[in-house]
Amino acid sequence: MKFFYILDGKTIKKWLLIISIAFVTASILYIQQLASESVFSTHLGSKAIYKVENKKNELALTFDISWGETNAIPVLNVLKKHGVKATFFLSASWAERHPRIVKKIVDDGHEIGSMGYEYKNYTELERGKIVRDLAQAKKVFDTLGIKHTPFLRVPTGNFNKDVLKVVHSFGHTVVHWSIDSKDWLNPGVNTIVENVTQNAKGGDIVLLHASDSAKQTSQALEQIIIWMKKEGYKSVVISDLVNNAHIKSKEIK
């Protein structure tokens, strides 16, 4: 005896709805799992670090990279020549295209921070898009063997309270800067050096770039490092700078 099962349109729609809900739920749980994998946390909550206190002889040189492959190597060569360690904030879409440069950054002993996946202004994105960008970036860094990127520099440097909450819930500590070299403007090597050195104090976080738009950075970096050594400053990575230090942050409304 043969049996035949007949499903009407309502039953099919019901099962399709159940499957869709299950898929969405699984996706949300996956993203929440990623967000819970915090490897560094502070008492700051939804705030951004821009410098620290009680670090009289330490500066943090930080480099943003979002595109190009010409300027990163010269910057790395200058750092290696002087035995200086720095923190590199990488756009994951760039890192995905330049794994050999990423490997050199790691092999040279530098610290890597995230700038998300696509270099987009987070203040112009909905929460869900920010989460997806952060999740995609994490996937890229995991693939490259970089399991821990506790620090994040918000793409374009623009953020608000809502952006900070999303980033913090994802397990990242936002790192801004207190000294802007303005090297991406290519104002001249001497101007870049002056922008960094004229007001620098212990505990400052210095913004530099190793993208191809910053054509004068490697030359200026040589002079900045020479000045630092002469003045008794040591360059440290962000994790060392904030360790056991009083962090200065700004409240964002």
Side-chain angles (χ1 to χ4, degrees), residues 92 95-96 98-100 102 106 139-147:
E96 194 173 34
H98 301 90
R100 292 185 180 180
V102 176
V106 174
K139 183 177 179 181
V140 169
F141 287 124
D142 283 348
T143 301
L144 293 172
I146 304 166
K147 301 300 182 182

Side-chain angles (χ1 to χ4, degrees), residues 56-57 59 82 84 193 197 221-235:
K56 295 181 180 179
N57 66 333
L59 296 174
H82 292 278
V84 170
V193 174
T197 62
L221 179 61
E222 185 94 36
Q223 296 186 34
I224 291 169
I225 293 174
I226 291 173
W227 172 85
M228 288 175 60
K229 291 183 175 181
K230 181 180 178 181
E231 297 296 321
Y233 287 110
K234 177 184 178 183
S235 177

Side-chain angles (χ1 to χ4, degrees), residues 2 14 23 48 55-56 75 87 92 95 108 119 133-134 166 181 203 208 250:
K2 296 183 179 180
K14 178 181 178 181
F23 177 77
K55 294 289 182 180
K56 295 181 180 179
V75 166
T87 300
D108 284 356
Y119 193 80
D133 188 79
L134 293 171
V166 176
S181 70
L208 294 150
K250 292 182 179 179

Side-chain angles (χ1 to χ4, degrees), residues 74-95:
V75 166
L76 287 168
N77 289 341
V78 172
L79 293 171
K80 189 171 185 177
K81 173 184 175 182
H82 292 278
V84 170
K85 304 303 179 187
T87 300
F88 285 80
F89 289 95
L90 309 181
S91 171
S93 59
W94 176 89

Side-chain angles (χ1 to χ4, degrees), residues 5-6 45 60 69 71 74 80 86 109 125 135 147 152 165 219 252:
Y5 294 91
I6 299 174
E69 57 184 14
N71 290 341
K80 189 171 185 177
L125 299 180
K147 301 300 182 182
L152 180 137
K165 285 182 179 179
Q219 291 177 277
I252 305 298

Side-chain angles (χ1 to χ4, degrees), residues 14-250:
K14 178 181 178 181
W15 280 105
L16 287 175
L17 179 61
I18 292 173
I19 293 171
S20 298
I21 293 173
F23 177 77
V24 171
T25 302
S27 299
I28 292 173
L29 289 174
Y30 174 71
I31 290 174
Q32 287 178 339
Q33 180 182 4
L34 290 177
S36 67
E37 295 179 2
S38 173
V39 295
F40 181 89
S41 63
T42 71
H43 62 283
L44 293 175
S46 301
K47 297 182 181 180
I49 300 171
Y50 73 97
K51 70 177 300 178
V52 304
E53 293 181 343
N54 303 326
K55 294 289 182 180
K56 295 181 180 179
N57 66 333
E58 294 181 348
L59 296 174
L61 298 180
T62 67
F63 297 85
D64 289 2
I65 309 182
S66 57
W67 71 279
E69 57 184 14
T70 302
N71 290 341
I73 297 301
V75 166
L76 287 168
N77 289 341
V78 172
L79 293 171
K80 189 171 185 177
K81 173 184 175 182
H82 292 278
V84 170
K85 304 303 179 187
T87 300
F88 285 80
F89 289 95
L90 309 181
S91 171
S93 59
W94 176 89
E96 194 173 34
R97 298 191 302 272
H98 301 90
R100 292 185 180 180
I101 300 179
V102 176
K103 185 177 184 301
K104 180 170 175 55
I105 294 173
V106 174
D107 289 346
D108 284 356
H110 302 296
E111 184 172 54
I112 288 184
S114 175
M115 276 204 300
Y117 185 78
E118 295 187 66
Y119 193 80
K120 291 185 176 181
N121 187 344
Y122 278 6
T123 61
E124 298 176 355
L125 299 180
E126 298 175 355
R127 175 188 170 88
K129 291 183 178 180
I130 298 174
V131 171
R132 285 194 291 273
D133 188 79
L134 293 171
Q136 192 171 3
K138 184 183 186 307
K139 183 177 179 181
V140 169
F141 287 124
D142 283 348
T143 301
L144 293 172
I146 304 166
K147 301 300 182 182
H148 304 306
T149 53
F151 301 107
L152 180 137
R153 177 160 286 161
V154 180
T156 74
N158 297 315
F159 54 84
N160 54 33
K161 201 166 189 176
D162 292 335
V163 169
L164 290 178
K165 285 182 179 179
V166 176
V167 173
H168 184 261
S169 71
F170 213 84
H172 295 297
T173 297
V174 174
V175 176
H176 202 55
W177 58 83
S178 54
I179 299 290
D180 187 353
S181 70
K182 299 182 179 179
D183 56 346
W184 62 276
L185 293 172
N186 297 305
V189 172
N190 292 336
T191 300
I192 295 171
V193 174
E194 185 177 345
N195 288 342
V196 173
T197 62
Q198 64 180 350
N199 294 314
K201 297 179 181 178
D204 274 323
I205 297 172
V206 182
L207 171 64
L208 294 150
H209 296 79
S211 291
D212 282 4
S213 57
K215 303 180 184 301
Q216 301 163 341
T217 302
S218 60
Q219 291 177 277
L221 179 61
E222 185 94 36
Q223 296 186 34
I224 291 169
I225 293 174
I226 291 173
W227 172 85
M228 288 175 60
K229 291 183 175 181
K230 181 180 178 181
E231 297 296 321
Y233 287 110
K234 177 184 178 183
S235 177
V236 297
V237 298
I238 292 295
S239 57
D240 288 339
L241 187 72
V242 303
N243 187 34
N244 297 322
H246 177 67
I247 299 170
K248 296 192 72 173
S249 60
K250 292 182 179 179

